[in-house]
Structures are given as C-alpha cells and as structure tokens.
Amino acid sequence: MGPPIDVSIALVALAPFLAAVMAPIVQRFVGSAAGWILAVIPASIFLFLASFIEPVTHGEVVRASLSWVPIQQLSLSFLIDGLSLMFAMTISGIGTLIIIYAGAYLAGHEHQGRFLGFMMAFMGAMLGLVLADNMLALFTFWELTSVSSFMLIGFDHYRQAARRAATQALVITNFGGLALLFGAVLMHQLSGSWDMSAIRVGDLQLDAHPLYGLVLALFLIAAFTKSAQFPLHFWLPNAMEAPTPVSAFLHSATMVQAGVYLLARMSPVLGGTDMWTVLLMSFGGVTLLWGAFAALKQTDLKQMLAQTTIASLGLLVMLIGYGNEAAIAAMVVYFIAHAFYKAGFFMLAGVIDHEAGTREITALGGLARAMPVSFVAAVLAGIAMVGLPLTVAYLAKEEMYLALQYGGWNLVATVTMVLGNALLGAVGIAVAVKPFLGPKVETPKHAHEGPLGLIAGPAILGIAGVAVALPTDWFGHDVMVPAASAILGEQIESHLTLALNFTSPLLWLSIATWLLALGAFLVLSRARSALRRIDDTVGYSFDAAFDVFMFGLIRGAGALTRFLHHGRLEIYLVVVFTGMALALLVPLFSMNGLEALMPPEALGDWRAVISWPDLTSYEWVVVSIAVIGLVALVVAQNRLVAILSLGVQGVAVAMLFLLFGAPDLSFTQFMVEILSVVILTLVMTRLRLDERDHRPFEDALRDGTIALLCGFGVAATLMTIIAGNFDSSLADFFLETSVPIAHGHNIVNVILVDYRGFDTLGEIAVVMTAGLAILALIRGRRSVAGTTITPPRDPANSEGVKG
Amino acid sequence: MNTVIFRTIAPLIVAIMVVFSIYVMLRGHNEPGGGFIGGLIAASAIAIFGMACGVPEVRRAMRIDPLTFAGVGVLIAGLSGMLSLFTGKPFMTSIWLYIEFADAEVPLSTPLLFDIGVYLVVFGTLSAIALSLEDERDGDN
C-alpha cells in the first residue's frame, strides 16, 4: 500500500503545482518532447482517480483531510463523490491530451517551458477546486484558477489585445471570487461549518432564512462571472487571445465550468426555490440564445467555438436551474459530451491554424484530402455537437427533452432549448464540414496533416464521444448516476438508452432539432450578414461598456488620489490634528467624561473647588520654566528661538517626570528633547527656511485653535482616566513577577525587552524603516537640486572614453 | 560654534558619552536605563562629534555606515528571540545563563541581547539621520 489515502488525494491537487515548477527545467533538457513527459502527471492522476469509480458507484464518499490552520479549526479537506470525481477525471483526462498537444503546438517557442508550467499550475488549481470540501480551500483554488488563467490568456504579453483580454478576465472573475468569499463567510456564519458536505447534510433551512436572497445572489455572482453568463459573458470570447491549447483547456472542461460546478455543488443547499429556478433558467436561457446567435456572426473558427461555449454554459446553468431528476442527469451527460467535442474542436481549430495558416472559415475549404485524420476527428466532434444518435451528446439531448417533459412542456423553456441546440448544431456542422469539404481554397500555408502530438488529442476525444456512449448501461450506472445523485442528494436510476423509439415525442423533438440545425447551416452566410447588420445598427456592446467602466474607475481613482494626496504638508497636518482633536473630544463629551471630572453641582460654588496648588518651591520653579518656555515659543518671531523654547519646555516636563518618580521616562525625555532640538535646527538650516516664521493671521488663528483643542483634549482625557477606577491587576502582575520570572528590578525595561518584547521588535523595525525613509527624502531633495548642476556619470566610463 | 575649545574637547565628551551609553544600556535591567536611552545618548555623541569635527571625519572614525548598525540591531533582536525555539519554547521566551567570572556572577540573557539590538537600532538610525542632515555634501561618498 502506498501513502495513506489522505496524502494521496491531497497530492492529486498539489502534484500539478510541483510539476509546474519542474516544467521549465524539463523543457530545457528535452525540448518539445516535454509535453509527452509532463503528460505523465495528469495521466497518472486520471488513473489514480479511476480507482475511485468502483467505491463511488456504490454510493461511497471518500474524504481526506490535512491540517491547515488548526487554531481556526480549518483543515484542507477534500471529498470525492460522484460529482467531484466526474469533474476531476474530465479535467485530468482532457488535461493529459492538452499537455501533449501543447508540447507539439508550441514546439520551438522560446517560452514553452513557462507555458507548460502555467498549464500545470492551472490544472492543479482546477483539480483542487473540484476536490475541495472546505469552502475556504475552494475559494483559494478558485482564485488560483483566475490567476493562472490570467497568465495563460496574457501569455503573448507583447500584444496589447492579449494583455487587455487577460486583465478583463481577471477583473471579472475576481469580482466573482470576492462574491464567493463573502458568500462562503456568510454561509459559515449561518451553518457553523466550512465544509460543504457538512452544510449539505446539516439541518440548515436556508431557503426560509431572511438572508437567503443575499447568499444566493453572492453565489450566483461568483458562478455567473466564472461561467460567463449574460451579461458578464464578454470576457470569454476575448480570452481567445490565448494560444489555442489554453482555449481548448479553459473553455471546454475547466475554467468556465467552475461556475457550473459551484452551482451543482450548492444546489442541494441553495436550490429548489422559485427564486433559484427563475434566476438560473432566465440567465441560462438568455445566455444560451445570446451565445448561439453570436456564434453565427463569427467567421473565425475559435470565435465561433467560443460563442458556442457561452451558449453551452447557458444551457448547463438552465438545466441546473430546472433541477428535476432528468434535468440534472442531462446536465451531467451534457457536461461530459461538451467537454469531449469542444476540446476536440478547439484543438482542431489550432491544427488548422497551425497547418493551413488561417482560422477564417471563409478562407478554408477542401482540406479533407490533405488532413484526413483531422477531418475524421472533426466529423466525430460535429456529429456530437449536432447530437446525432450513438454519441454521448445524443444521450444528453434526450435527457434534456425528458426534463422538459417532466416539467410539463414549459413553452419558453422548450423553444429556448430546441432553438439553442439547433443553432449550436448548425455551428457544429459549419466547423466540421466547411474547412474540409467543398472546393479546395488556397491557404497561406501549404496544408498537410499535423504531427502526432497535435492530432492525437482531437482523434481520441472524437472517438471517446462515441465509444463512451456505446456501453450505455455502464455509462449510465457508473458515470451519470453517481454524479447526478451527488448533485440531487438522493439516489436516482439511469434510464439512458440509445434505442430509437419512434412513438416518443422526445425523438421527434430531436429530429426537429436536427432539421433546424441543417436548415440554419444552409442559410448560415445569409444569417451572418443579417445579424451583423443588426449589430452595426445597435453600435453598442458589453465589451465597450467594460472599457468605459474601467476607464471611469481609473479616472475616479486618480481624482480621489489627487484629492487625498495633494502633497501639501500644511493641509495634512491640519487634517491629522483636527482628527486627533475630534477623536479626543467627541468621546469625552458623548460619554459624559467632562461631567464626571467636574460635577455640575460642584460648579455652583466654584470658589470652593479652586484652591492654591500645594507644591514645593522647586516644583514651582520647574513648572514656571515650562510655562516660560511655552510663552517664549508662542511669541517667538525667530524659528531658532522657537525650537529652543520648545526644548526648554520639554526639559522642564522631563524634570517633572523625575520629581514624580519616573526616572526612566525622564531620562528618555531628556535625550529626546536634546536630539529634537539638534535635528530640528539642522532640518531648518538644511531646508533653508526663513529665519522668521511668517504666518497670516487666519492661519495663526486656525493653528492656535487646533492646538488648544488638542491640548485640552489630551489633558481632560488623562484627568478623566486618572479620576476613574484604575485597574491595577496588570501593574500588580508586573510588580510581582518582574524579579522572580524575568530577573529584573527595572520594571519599565523588563516590560520593554521581555514581557512586551515582540512589540518592541516591531517598533525598532519601524524606527529603522523610518530612518531609511528619512535618508531617502534628504538625499532625494539633494538630487533634485543637483540635476541642474551635473548629471551623475559613471567615473569608470568617462575614464575609458579618455583613454 | 566651531571654536577651538569645542573642537578640542569634543572627542573627549564623545568618548565619555559612548562609554556611558553602553553602561546605561547594560545596567538597564535593574536600574534606570536600557537600550533605548543608551542608543539616544550614543546618537547624541555622534551628533556632537559631527558638529565639532565635520561629517567626513565622523564617518571615517565610525568605519561602518550608521544604518548598518540599525540593520544589524534588528537582526540581533530578532535572532535573540529565535534562540528559545531551540529549547522547545515559544518565540522570545527568555533564556538566562549565570556565569562565574572571577568573583562575580555575570548574568547573560536573551533579553540582554535583545536590548543590545534595540540600542544599535536607535543609535544607528538617529546618527544616520543626524549625520545626513549635518553633511552638506552627503551621498557623494
């Protein structure tokens, strides 16, 4: 027996990250064969996961947990049930093919190692996401997919379009990530658990809770942004700026399916309400039709596929929203079917681009003779996309229509699904047939079949789309039922069949879909120009709105910065000290501190309250020195005199500390006063300030008022604190334990270096950093002044020129 | 300011102040004093030295850039806290060693090391600032 099950399951999510680190090194040694070598990792993950099919089919749930933050009862818990197993196997299985494909696709690219590393990291994040049980772990992996997909989409970072697409995807999906975090925290507050499995089986009646709407909205925002639902769908087609392997991976089975996964995962907790059904079905339905029509408009193969991906995501969301047994079964089967044909199609688009030099569908034709294997793979994928019998997609479509039957043939849902499926089918036919059949069109490159690494993936996926469906009973029982049962939270029965039953309305709906698809394909070019005309008359897109929003954000941030960070020291000081005065005075008045200090009844005969202070003669001397220093400071016309007067006043205060028994404090105060006088004087001479302090009367009034308020606030607050009951437990503790456990008689010092040593460590680090900043300011000032004299030159260089 | 008397007497004052600052720091655990005050005294000494003899002279005498002292100080303070990790105790648990030296008992401890770190940070930072302000052509070296 190998490592314990906990470790092995965690390793499934973590191994790709290790591989990501290794990828550039591997690539350096073996070149483009790195794809084949690195593919071993997802392949072995796939095989490892396959060993769980048996127990999961019997309804078992495999859990694993690693301690993460034990103090917060957080653990990195993983869970394998039907749903996560299906996603994880799809991710690792397709991931294997994609890594091989990427090895061949980017052969000779100077950053291929980096690319493969990003791909592996993304795969790890995705596997972690679907296997995580803890919501915080889910959130972490969720954000990791956003970050790694940012790297992948912006891989060609020298192109502006790629940078923009990457930023856009990151902004939108991270917005959803924040919503997910809020939702997870809220869910934790309501249910008391971070583990989704515990929340699912717990007795949380969320749909009756007043916060249900908020939680639902947060999770939906998270899922809709990730899964590109209308109206936040526009980042997905833009993400086609990424190299084709990325599109094939992210937009078939992984990144965009994370939102679908989240919805499926959460449907036992959040689902089943009217709000859930209406929101999911309407957003999903609009997205389905929007994507399907948008796909017709495109001529670029990748763009066509990207738009159909949006449509498929809408369909999946719609099915989850429908939520009956058949709809969930349809969602599971359609997810698998879609992953197969969409990944295959994307890879084929890359092969065509690679070998023929263009992806424009109008500039392609008659490639079947030159690229026979690709053609076969394309036809297989096309058959699946149309949903012809003997494919997984056919089973999915039959289940969808069965779901409609269960739902009582809701007219809007029926029309949406049939139309959406038909349009997707039309695009499928176009992508599968148009580049390969018909008259041969001259392409930029002389087309020929791609190498093994490029065509292996599409070929295997095309065959899988049929091969998996043929053992229908096995597929239904071992793949569909566990996943669908996990989503529904109850055991269901498989009734998938490939048999054609001509008495069933479901088959006739399918036939109608196929005919519609064929019809739409035949009028494709006319439909395209009509749709484009509509687009031109509208002249507005969500994509442009995003730019406007981002531009506004940047402008707003700039304006806010200029407002807050204007660079005028005078205003900063006024704001800081006004804030300080408010912070002192508002609590003092609102909490009746002043009345506690001076009871109103005692104010009546204030003569009785006021008395001559009982001070000794030398105390009087010290106090008067302080007062003299203060007066001198205020009336001083000369800055140097003012600085020295401040020092005099400070020294007098230090002497007071000494007289009242705080030698440490006074000692420090003395040194601080001396150094401040020295440093202030130096600063004054250094900044070449005027000797005299010219201040207009209004400024003097304003500064004086603020100063008086601050002084009064500090004094009154301190007096209130002293007048109150002093809790001496801490002081007693220090007094008692200073010698026995800290071996020191000077309690102040013992507190500084021992009891509160960690604070002091932080403080001295701050002191040093502040010193660095001050030095930088002093030197920065000089270099600004010095630029007019001579630019700095490298002495060694000028010597060389002379020599 | 830059009189002959001041210039002659300054090195003497500086030497006394530096020695005194170390004394203040070391006795800090039981009497008034400590690393913070010690560092302030030593920094004042450097400021006086700079006024009397000029900054280049001070920098030559110090040999090491004052900010290096500050950095080393933070390092020492941090490391002194880590020593306790080797005894299986949490970070910054103090360790005391009493060493018999001649007839006296010398207590050595991690808080003392920590205090030395504080001393160096305060000394280094403040003298760096003071010297930098005193020097008209600072940064050209």
Side-chain angles (χ1 to χ4, degrees), chain A residues 630-647:
Chain A
L630 203 61
V631 173
L633 168 66
V634 174
V635 299
Q637 293 295 315
N638 186 311
R639 277 185 211 266
L640 204 56
V641 174
I643 292 170
L644 283 172
S645 318
L646 190 64

Side-chain angles (χ1 to χ4, degrees), chain A residues 538-554:
Chain A
V538 174
Y540 172 84
S541 71
F542 288 98
D543 198 20
F546 175 81
D547 279 346
V548 171
F549 172 75
M550 289 304 279
F551 186 64
L553 200 63
I554 291 167

Side-chain angles (χ1 to χ4, degrees), chain A residues 504-701:
Chain A
S504 154
L506 306 181
L507 183 63
W508 291 105
L509 259 188
S510 283
I511 290 171
T513 312
W514 297 329
L515 292 176
L516 258 175
L518 191 63
F521 168 67
L522 294 176
V523 298
L524 185 62
S525 58
R526 250 175 298 161
R528 183 183 299 139
S529 39
L531 285 168
R532 287 192 166 181
R533 261 199 306 281
I534 296 174
D535 246 14
D536 289 343
T537 46
V538 174
Y540 172 84
S541 71
F542 288 98
D543 198 20
F546 175 81
D547 279 346
V548 171
F549 172 75
M550 289 304 279
F551 186 64
L553 200 63
I554 291 167
R555 281 241 310 231
L560 189 67
T561 307
R562 276 190 300 280
F563 175 70
L564 292 174
H565 191 74
H566 40 68
R568 291 181 56 196
L569 184 62
E570 194 188 340
I571 311 274
Y572 291 156
L573 289 177
V574 167
V575 169
V576 167
F577 281 103
T578 312
M580 179 176 158
L582 287 175
L584 287 167
L585 294 176
V586 169
L588 201 62
F589 282 104
S590 64
M591 293 161 79
N592 298 328
L594 218 52
E595 282 164 35
L597 208 58
M598 287 184 289
E601 58 269 23
L603 282 180
D605 51 345
W606 56 274
R607 278 167 215 280
V609 179
I610 291 181
S611 63
W612 193 246
D614 180 24
L615 294 180
T616 59
S617 52
Y618 52 88
E619 283 166 348
W620 274 116
V621 172
V622 175
V623 170
S624 41
I625 292 176
V627 172
I628 291 168
L630 203 61
V631 173
L633 168 66
V634 174
V635 299
Q637 293 295 315
N638 186 311
R639 277 185 211 266
L640 204 56
V641 174
I643 292 170
L644 283 172
S645 318
L646 190 64
V648 167
Q649 188 265 354
V651 166
V653 172
M655 282 161 80
L656 281 181
F657 287 148
L658 196 63
L659 292 178
F660 287 95
D664 274 278
L665 192 56
S666 99
F667 207 164
T668 312
Q669 177 87 6
F670 272 122
M671 296 318 300
V672 168
E673 289 301 332
I674 291 167
L675 275 172
S676 345
V677 168
V678 170
I679 287 180
L680 278 175
T681 315
L682 286 171
V683 167
M684 196 196 97
T685 51
R686 197 50 188 268
L687 297 182
R688 298 194 182 78
L689 292 179
D690 262 349
E691 221 173 82
R692 302 176 68 81
D693 178 10
H694 302 289
R695 217 183 300 202
F697 178 71
E698 311 90 75
D699 283 11
L701 192 67

Side-chain angles (χ1 to χ4, degrees), chain A residues 144-433:
Chain A
L144 279 176
T145 62
S146 293
V147 172
S148 46
S149 66
F150 171 78
M151 303 286 200
L152 288 169
I153 296 170
F155 184 68
D156 293 336
H157 55 85
Y158 45 85
R159 282 190 301 118
Q160 204 267 334
R163 292 199 301 273
R164 174 174 178 272
T167 314
Q168 192 179 50
L170 188 70
V171 167
I172 292 179
T173 55
N174 268 12
F175 172 65
L178 274 183
L180 177 66
L181 181 60
F182 287 141
V185 170
L186 210 57
M187 189 76 103
H188 171 68
Q189 294 290 323
L190 295 177
S191 68
S193 173
W194 287 114
D195 285 346
M196 289 182 289
S197 54
I199 296 173
R200 277 198 301 277
V201 298
D203 51 357
L204 177 67
Q205 290 299 323
L206 194 62
D207 43 359
H209 198 278
L211 284 177
Y212 170 73
L214 182 63
V215 179
L216 180 65
L218 289 170
F219 275 95
L220 289 192
I221 289 172
F224 284 3
T225 49
K226 203 78 165 182
S227 285
Q229 295 298 295
F230 182 90
L232 293 171
H233 58 282
F234 49 84
W235 69 264
L236 198 153
N238 287 341
M240 291 298 129
E241 294 295 340
T244 305
V246 179
S247 314
F249 197 31
L250 263 63
H251 301 135
S252 61
T254 55
M255 172 87 167
V256 295
Q257 301 290 3
V260 173
Y261 170 79
L262 182 71
L263 291 177
R265 198 31 114 199
M266 282 297 165
S267 67
V269 184
L270 292 170
T273 61
D274 286 348
M275 207 194 292
W276 167 272
T277 308
V278 168
L279 282 176
L280 259 63
M281 288 203 66
S282 46
F283 275 99
V286 171
T287 309
L288 167 61
L289 291 182
W290 186 277
F293 277 110
L296 298 181
K297 285 187 280 196
Q298 307 295 332
T299 51
D300 180 309
L301 286 178
K302 271 177 80 175
Q303 282 298 331
M304 292 171 80
L305 294 170
Q307 301 289 359
T308 59
T309 301
I310 294 179
S312 298
L313 292 168
L315 186 54
L316 286 167
V317 169
M318 207 175 157
L319 288 170
I320 295 175
Y322 220 176
N324 63 37
E325 204 175 286
I328 296 299
M331 177 251 146
V332 168
V333 181
Y334 186 69
F335 166 78
I336 296 173
H338 173 257
F340 283 163
Y341 75 68
K342 193 55 69 67
F345 259 149
F346 268 121
M347 288 198 246
L348 283 171
V351 175
I352 293 171
D353 189 16
H354 210 262
E355 303 304 330
T358 180
R359 295 194 310 247
E360 281 296 310
I361 198 163
T362 49
L364 290 165
L367 290 175
R369 189 172 294 277
M371 306 170 74
V373 182
S374 301
F375 177 53
V376 173
V379 168
L380 284 172
I383 288 175
M385 199 155 165
V386 181
L388 292 179
L390 299 182
T391 63
V392 185
Y394 169 76
L395 297 174
K397 183 142 48 239
E398 291 298 292
E399 281 296 305
M400 275 179 225
Y401 294 155
L402 185 64
L404 288 173
Q405 191 180 28
Y406 282 6
W409 300 114
N410 178 306
L411 186 65
V412 180
T414 309
V415 170
T416 310
M417 276 197 196
V418 172
L419 186 60
N421 271 322
L423 293 178
L424 288 182
V427 176
I429 300 173
V431 176
V433 168

